Amino acid sequence: MGDDPAQFVCDKWGRAHDHENLFFASTGVLSTAGTCNSTGNGVALVCSACSGTMRGLVEVKVT
């Protein structure tokens, strides 16, 4: 996860650099050790992706 598309698959919100409507809401974007339970991190990533999506929706004003 990062801002440089050459080095990272997605941005800080989990949105793919190459596809605007593709979000990674799983632990697949994290490097984890075999001794680590990543469930909590996965939940945090889903919440972050939802927050980023909602921020984009707020920019569109509905009348």
Side-chain angles (χ1 to χ4, degrees), residues 27-39:
T27 57
V29 296
L30 297 176
S31 56
T32 58
T35 59
C36 172
N37 183 349
S38 60
T39 302

Side-chain angles (χ1 to χ4, degrees), residues 8-62:
F8 303 100
V9 176
C10 61
D11 65 8
K12 66 180 180 179
W13 303 111
R15 177 179 280 181
H17 290 294
D18 294 339
H19 302 285
E20 185 177 325
N21 291 328
L22 176 62
F23 284 84
F24 297 98
S26 73
T27 57
V29 296
L30 297 176
S31 56
T32 58
T35 59
C36 172
N37 183 349
S38 60
T39 302
N41 291 335
V43 171
L45 284 172
V46 170
C47 291
S48 178
C50 289
S51 177
T53 302
M54 293 304 294
R55 288 171 193 253
L57 291 176
V58 170
E59 294 173 3
V60 178
K61 294 183 180 181
V62 179

